[in-house]
């Protein structure tokens, strides 16, 4: 269980996150949803201390993350982000195996784990393992990024628009396989996106943010049926409007 | 050619020692500094500014400043140390700047990923930032390598032998084979080192172990080649050769070779010539014992070392006071006055002198306003020039500094009208120039004298005795003829020195029968 308690982050005079509290249950995927600059990425990055909060704290299974060395905390948390950040001077296998090697696993165990993970993200280990990141397509790179985040068998995953830069078909396929992986491994995850569709498909619960504040937290159904305010209502109307437009198109085609 | 090539291994080894040591130091200093500067952005600009300022100092001046600073600190100010420090300082900027740029240029997404996967700051640096910055860093090292090999040729005047010895002495004695050998070897060395560093870089980037190993092995072999003489000297300390200094003009090259030959023949001791030293570097070197002896001129020492501003009362008084002054100051002994003067002398075209009726400097003074005067690089900042100007009220239309080997030609062809020649230079007669009489005695006497270090005087009375036999052995005419055969006859200083040595003393007294050997 992850507890975010009264998190505040100020950059100079600007308040990026204002007194935010949230709880993510074991095995749950919570989506942080909002427009750019709403503070969702800052919130995520305070969980693995890529950003130190100005005040407030984060507990993982009751343990205060501020009490751990940042690099030890991060080795226990999978982290994937939109720009992927695969190391260009390392092979795919070295990229995936980087956290296990930092943890001092032996090479045979790392090699086995790398192959398992490549299969899990639907890449052929034999042909992918020794390639360099620049030889892969964008979608393949995102898969390797997810595999790297999962390598050290974390219980918690942080994902920051990990599929943001992909074309719609690839994105859909990779979302589906990520959902299967998560269910199989029973991972707890926090997932940042500004895409309503992605939020509705993947999220067990959705937390809507605006201007550093938390507007509403609830299941997709809660948000659709009982939006807490105008901003949430308007946000929830966008997928509906799209669905309606698609329905109208289909209806128009059927009636000549 | 073969004579020059015979000198190549010695100078090449010395050059390599300097270059490799300076590069290793420059990398050892600027790589960590660059890493720190890339982390602590506050110090980046000041640090790069300091390195850039050092870089803007002309390289020869930087070496000279290093000599002065070391001397002020009371350290070994001549030879390897100042050259090493100067070259190291010169190599800092490219490596420092490229390290900072290389690390700053690493994609922020990769730094975030490195932190995100749980690397410590040190691991981020070693596993991600440095490998990715490596091509840029190595480019900086390559720039520094090429620069250092080139600038190392300038360490000759501060007393560190290098390939520059070919270039300095070759230019002064019009031996262009020597210049060619020196520059060619330096260029080849620069290309070779650059290629080897590049090879290591490519090998690492493409993960070709054999390439990395080959290039590293070659670099190590070069270092071993350069260090072999040092190691041999440490393991089997041979008798230190008697070291003879020479400044940067033909007469000095000839005399240093002559002294070397003379000592070998009379005492059987090994000798070594350290040529092309800067003018005051040579004196400092004998004062500190870096070299054992060299030839200087009484008037130069009177003005520049004893700092006397008034002209000496007489030729003999100048010799006596220089002898006692140097002994008191540095323990340096004047052991022989060779028998000729090499004074600064104003010279002009004989035809003009006849036409204008000029015989003395007093005669020149009224015509000077319409004339251009040429002098070597140091002349116009020397006290002798001030003395001349003040005593005779000389005002020239223009003054030009040039290399001493070029000024005689400049006077002969009319580029300048009057030059500050040297009275023993054979080209004065050969190019139909005349020396104007110093009728008011503004220029002090410049007797050529042999100075020996306090240590040589103490440890080698046999050498001192042999040198005393040179007192009065060379007259001005002989010296002028010797200089001319180097400057215009195309002979090497060593050849001319051998002839001179044969002429002034019985050839080859075997060491065993030397008067000073044990009975």
């Amino acid at each position: 269980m992850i507890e975010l308690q009264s998190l505040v982050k100020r950059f100079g005079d600007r308040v990026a996150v204002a007194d935010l509290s949230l709880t993510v249950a074991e095995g749950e995927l919570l989506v942080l949803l909002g427009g750019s600059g709403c503070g969702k990425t800052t919130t995520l990055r305070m969980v693995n201390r890529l950003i130190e909060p100005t005040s407030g704290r984060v507990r993982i299974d009751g343990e205060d993350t501020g009490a751990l060395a940042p690099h030890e905390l991060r080795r226990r948390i999978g982290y994937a982000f939109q720009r992927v950040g695969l190391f260009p001077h390392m092979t795919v296998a070295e990229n995936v195996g980087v956290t296990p090697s930092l943890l001092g696993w032996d090479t045979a165990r790392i090699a086995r784990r790398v192959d398992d993970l490549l299969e899990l993200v639907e890449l052929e280990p034999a042909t992918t393992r020794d390639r360099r990141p620049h030889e892969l397509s964008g979608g393949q790179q995102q898969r390797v990024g997810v595999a790297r985040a999962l390598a050290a068998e974390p219980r918690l995953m942080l994902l920051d628009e990990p599929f943001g830069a992909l074309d719609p078909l690839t994105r859909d396929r990779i979302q589906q396989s990520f959902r299967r992986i998560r269910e199989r491994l029973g991972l707890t995850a926090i997932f940042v996106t500004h895409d309503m569709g992605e939020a509705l498909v993947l999220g067990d619960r959705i937390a809507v943010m605006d201007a550093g504040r938390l507007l509403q937290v609830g299941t997709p159904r809660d948000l659709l049926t009982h939006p807490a305010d105008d901003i949430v209502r308007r946000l929830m109307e966008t997928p509906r409007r799209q669905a309606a437009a698609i329905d109208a198109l289909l209806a128009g085609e059927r009636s000549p | 050619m073969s004579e020059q090539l015979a000198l190549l291994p010695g100078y090449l080894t010395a050059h390599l020692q300097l270059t490799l040591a300076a590069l290793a130091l420059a990398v050892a200093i600027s790589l960590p500094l660059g890493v720190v500067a890339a982390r602590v952005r506050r110090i980046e600009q000041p640090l790069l500014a300091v390195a850039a300022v050092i870089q803007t100092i002309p390289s020869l001046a930087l070496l000279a400043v290093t000599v002065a600073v070391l001397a002020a600190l009371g350290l070994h100010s001549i030879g390897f140390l100042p050259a090493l420090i100067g070259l190291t300082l010169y190599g800092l900027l490219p490596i420092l700047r490229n390290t900072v740029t290389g690390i700053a240029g690493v994609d922020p997404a990769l730094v975030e990923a490195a932190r995100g996967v749980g690397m410590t700051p040190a691991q981020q640096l070693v596993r991600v930032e440095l490998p990715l910055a490596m091509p840029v860093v190595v480019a900086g090292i390559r720039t520094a390598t090429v620069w250092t090999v080139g600038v190392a040729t300038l360490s000759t005047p501060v007393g560190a032998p290098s390939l520059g010895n070919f270039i300095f002495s070759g230019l002064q004695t019009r031996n262009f084979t020597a210049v060619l050998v020196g520059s060619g070897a330096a260029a080849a060395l620069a290309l070779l080192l650059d290629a080897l560093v590049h090879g290591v870089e490519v090998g690492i980037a493409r993960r070709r172990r054999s390439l990395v190993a080959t290039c590293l092995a070659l670099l190590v072999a070069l270092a071993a080649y350069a260090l072999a003489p040092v190691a041999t000297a440490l393991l089997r300390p041979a008798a230190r050769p008697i070291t003879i200094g020479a400044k940067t003009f033909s007469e000095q090259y000839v005399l240093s070779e002559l002294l070397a030959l003379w000592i070998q023949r009379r005492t059987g001791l090994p000798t070594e010539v350290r040529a092309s030293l800067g003018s005051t570097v040579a004196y400092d070197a004998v004062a500190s014992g870096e070299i054992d002896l060299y030839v200087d001129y009484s008037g130069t020492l009177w003005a520049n070392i004893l700092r006397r501003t008034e002209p000496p009362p007489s030729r003999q008084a100048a010799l006596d006071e220089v002898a006692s002054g140097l002994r008191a100051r540095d323990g340096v002994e004047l052991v022989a006055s060779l028998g000729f003067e090499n004074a600064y002398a104003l010279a002009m075209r004989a035809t003009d002198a006849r036409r204008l009726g000029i015989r003395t400097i007093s005669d020149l003074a009224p015509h000077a306003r319409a004339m251009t005067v040429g002098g070597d690089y140091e002349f116009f900042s020397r006290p002798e020039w001030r003395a001349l100007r003040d005593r005779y009220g000389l005002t020239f239309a223009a003054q030009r500094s040039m290399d001493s080997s070029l000024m005689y030609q400049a006077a002969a062809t009319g580029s300048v009208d009057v030059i500050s020649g040297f009275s023993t230079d054979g080209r004065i007669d050969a190019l139909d120039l005349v020396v104007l009489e110093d009728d008011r005695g503004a220029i002090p006497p410049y007797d050529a004298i042999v100075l020996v270090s306090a240590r040589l005087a103490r440890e080698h009375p046999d050498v001192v005795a042999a040198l005393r036999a040179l007192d009065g052995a060379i007259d001005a005419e002989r010296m002028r003829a010797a200089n001319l055969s180097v400057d215009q006859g195309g002979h090497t200083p060593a050849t001319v020195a051998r002839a001179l040595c044969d002429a002034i003393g019985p050839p080859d007294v075997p060491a065993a029968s030397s008067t000073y050997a044990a009975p």
Side-chain angles (χ1 to χ4, degrees):
Chain A
M1 189 173 69
I2 322 297
E3 296 160 276
L4 282 56
Q5 299 175 331
S6 310
L7 280 182
V8 175
K9 181 64 193 180
R10 277 192 219 98
F11 294 105
D13 290 341
R14 195 172 68 80
V15 178
V17 175
D19 194 21
L20 183 140
S21 296
L22 254 181
T23 303
V24 185
E26 190 70 27
E28 181 186 38
L29 188 146
L30 178 91
V31 171
L32 283 175
L33 179 72
S36 41
C38 73
K40 57 190 190 297
T41 292
T42 305
T43 304
L44 184 83
R45 287 155 62 100
M46 283 191 283
V47 175
N48 66 354
R49 292 181 62 192
L50 286 174
I51 294 177
E52 296 290 348
T54 307
S55 66
R57 71 178 83 187
V58 176
R59 289 177 186 280
I60 297 178
D61 296 331
E63 188 178 12
D64 186 346
T65 55
L68 291 167
H71 63 272
E72 279 168 14
L73 173 69
R74 292 179 201 133
R75 288 174 192 177
R76 297 189 346 203
I77 301 174
Y79 178 63
F81 60 116
Q82 182 180 348
R83 294 175 64 197
V84 193
L86 295 183
F87 303 120
H89 58 300
M90 299 182 187
T91 63
V92 166
E94 286 166 336
N95 266 285
V96 174
V98 65
T99 307
S101 90
L102 292 173
L103 288 167
W105 292 17
D106 65 62
T107 44
R109 183 176 169 207
I110 295 175
R112 272 198 312 278
R113 179 71 181 154
V114 167
D115 284 1
D116 288 350
L117 283 166
L118 289 177
E119 270 170 26
L120 188 70
V121 298
E122 295 164 29
L123 291 169
E124 175 69 49
T127 55
T128 325
R129 200 190 283 135
D130 295 323
R131 298 170 85 179
R132 294 297 185 93
H134 68 87
E135 299 172 88
L136 305 179
S137 71
Q140 288 172 320
Q141 290 183 16
Q142 297 278 7
R143 288 169 191 272
V144 175
V146 172
R148 181 172 69 182
L150 289 169
E153 300 172 346
R155 301 293 309 139
L156 169 64
M157 286 275 281
L158 303 177
L159 303 106
D160 187 358
E161 305 197 36
F163 315 131
L166 299 178
D167 67 84
L169 282 178
T170 312
R171 184 173 182 164
D172 185 54
R173 208 168 56 241
I174 210 168
Q175 277 172 355
Q176 299 308 325
S177 69
F178 173 69
R179 205 162 66 165
R180 280 195 299 278
I181 290 166
R182 197 180 68 82
E183 279 161 10
R184 215 171 97 195
L185 302 177
L187 290 169
T188 308
I190 303 178
F191 193 113
V192 163
T193 184
H194 62 263
D195 182 317
M196 271 302 305
E198 192 167 58
L200 294 173
V201 171
L202 294 177
D204 295 321
R205 281 191 305 150
I206 299 173
V208 183
M209 288 185 70
D210 183 62
R213 291 177 188 287
L214 190 59
L215 299 182
Q216 187 174 5
V217 189
T219 62
R221 170 177 286 275
D222 287 342
L223 297 189
L224 284 166
T225 53
H226 300 100
D229 63 11
D230 271 0
I231 299 176
V232 179
R233 178 180 300 111
R234 266 185 274 127
L235 208 56
M236 290 300 133
E237 276 168 3
T238 51
R240 281 188 167 170
R241 253 203 308 277
Q242 284 165 356
I246 293 166
D247 283 345
L249 278 174
L250 291 170
E253 268 180 18
R254 263 188 239 117
S255 56
Chain B
M1 186 75 175
S2 62
E3 195 177 351
Q4 300 301 331
L5 289 179
L7 296 170
L8 189 57
Y11 290 144
L12 187 63
T13 311
H15 202 94
L16 255 179
Q17 282 170 7
L18 256 183
T19 308
L20 292 179
L23 275 174
L25 266 181
V27 171
I29 294 169
S30 44
L31 204 60
L33 269 185
V35 168
V36 173
R39 283 262 187 279
V40 189
R41 300 315 283 247
R42 214 173 41 230
I43 65 164
E44 180 195 335
Q45 287 312 319
L47 207 58
L48 285 177
V50 169
V53 166
I54 293 174
Q55 203 76 58
T56 59
I57 303 174
S59 27
L60 193 55
L62 182 65
L63 290 167
V65 168
T66 315
V67 169
V69 170
L70 286 177
L73 294 174
L75 296 168
H76 266 300
S77 67
I78 312 291
F80 190 78
L81 190 61
L84 177 68
I85 294 174
L87 289 177
T88 304
L89 287 173
Y90 224 62
L92 291 182
L93 180 68
I95 305 174
L96 187 62
R97 188 171 51 200
N98 281 36
T99 305
V100 173
T101 315
I103 292 177
V106 173
D107 185 351
L110 298 176
V111 179
E112 178 173 346
R115 297 175 68 205
V117 297
M119 290 188 191
T120 62
Q123 288 167 334
Q124 289 165 38
L125 184 70
V126 173
R127 294 191 181 214
V128 177
E129 289 171 296
L130 279 182
L132 292 174
M134 202 41 76
V136 183
V137 176
V138 172
I141 295 176
R142 288 175 62 190
T143 307
T145 304
V146 175
W147 282 2
T148 307
V149 172
V151 175
T153 58
L154 298 177
S155 47
T156 298
V158 300
S162 72
L163 291 170
N165 283 57
F166 287 115
I167 300 171
F168 278 91
S169 66
L171 284 176
Q172 287 301 323
T173 62
R174 306 196 143 246
N175 183 340
F176 292 106
T177 312
V179 176
L180 215 62
V181 169
S183 339
L189 185 62
L191 289 176
L192 175 67
L193 289 179
D194 182 52
L196 289 179
V197 177
H198 182 52
V200 174
E201 176 195 6
V202 169
I204 290 173
R206 304 214 184 125
R207 298 197 174 190
R208 281 172 43 196
R209 289 231 176 98
S210 58
L211 183 60
V212 177
T214 311
C215 291
L216 280 180
L218 282 171
L219 278 173
V220 169
L222 275 177
Y225 169 72
L227 290 179
V230 181
T232 324
L234 283 178
L235 290 177
R236 255 183 317 120
R240 182 175 174 279
I242 307 292
T243 309
I244 300 139
K247 303 198 216 179
T248 53
F249 49 93
S250 302
E251 179 171 299
Q252 286 275 322
Y253 297 126
V254 172
L255 289 176
S256 60
E257 296 287 353
L258 169 70
L259 292 175
L261 206 56
W262 188 264
I263 292 169
Q264 283 168 28
R265 287 179 177 180
R266 302 282 148 154
T267 67
L269 291 169
T271 59
E272 180 185 81
V273 171
R274 198 79 79 78
S276 306
L277 300 175
S279 185
T280 56
V281 167
Y283 181 79
D284 292 345
V286 86
S288 67
E290 293 270 334
I291 60 172
D292 296 307
L293 67 151
Y294 81 112
V295 173
D296 212 325
Y297 306 91
S298 56
T300 304
L301 298 163
W302 174 272
N304 290 354
I305 306 297
L306 299 182
R307 304 251 169 237
R308 303 282 286 265
T309 48
E310 79 288 2
S314 71
R315 203 169 155 177
Q316 191 54 46
L319 283 175
D320 293 345
E321 290 200 31
V322 163
S324 58
L326 299 186
R327 184 184 300 127
R329 188 178 181 272
D330 299 304
V332 169
E333 293 286 339
L334 192 168
V335 297
S337 173
L338 291 175
F340 70 92
E341 269 195 87
N342 181 6
Y344 271 113
L346 293 189
M348 64 187 293
R349 286 180 294 283
T351 48
D352 285 356
R354 267 195 306 278
R355 185 166 53 80
L356 298 168
I358 299 174
R359 203 181 52 79
T360 64
I361 302 179
S362 295
D363 298 339
L364 172 72
H367 300 283
R369 277 184 191 284
M371 293 179 164
T372 303
V373 61
D376 64 34
Y377 300 122
E378 53 180 290
F379 180 68
F380 295 114
S381 54
R382 284 179 67 116
E384 291 90 341
W385 168 238
R386 280 196 296 279
L388 267 177
R389 226 176 30 191
D390 297 347
R391 189 69 59 88
Y392 292 97
L394 288 175
T395 317
F396 285 93
Q399 69 187 44
R400 289 169 59 183
S401 295
M402 60 188 78
D403 196 275
S404 60
S405 64
L406 302 176
M407 63 186 176
Y408 300 96
Q409 201 66 38
T413 57
S415 306
V416 296
D417 302 302
V418 176
I419 55 167
S420 65
F422 296 101
S423 59
T424 51
D425 200 296
R427 285 170 291 193
I428 288 177
D429 289 342
L431 294 172
D432 198 22
L433 304 174
V434 288
V435 169
L436 303 182
E437 186 192 326
D438 176 19
D439 52 324
R440 294 197 199 169
I443 300 177
Y446 284 90
D447 278 296
I449 51 181
V450 179
L451 299 181
V452 305
S453 68
R455 189 180 55 192
L456 187 82
R458 197 170 54 240
E459 293 176 4
H460 283 288
D462 52 339
V463 173
V464 171
L467 291 171
R468 287 200 195 283
L470 284 170
D471 199 72
I474 306 170
D475 61 20
E477 202 173 332
R478 218 171 218 173
M479 195 67 240
R480 209 174 290 144
N483 289 341
L484 191 64
S485 59
V486 171
D487 292 329
Q488 300 216 311
H491 298 292
T492 64
T495 317
V496 174
R498 181 160 300 116
L500 198 56
C501 193
D502 292 345
I504 61 179
D508 294 306
V509 178
S513 66
S514 155
T515 357
Y516 307 102

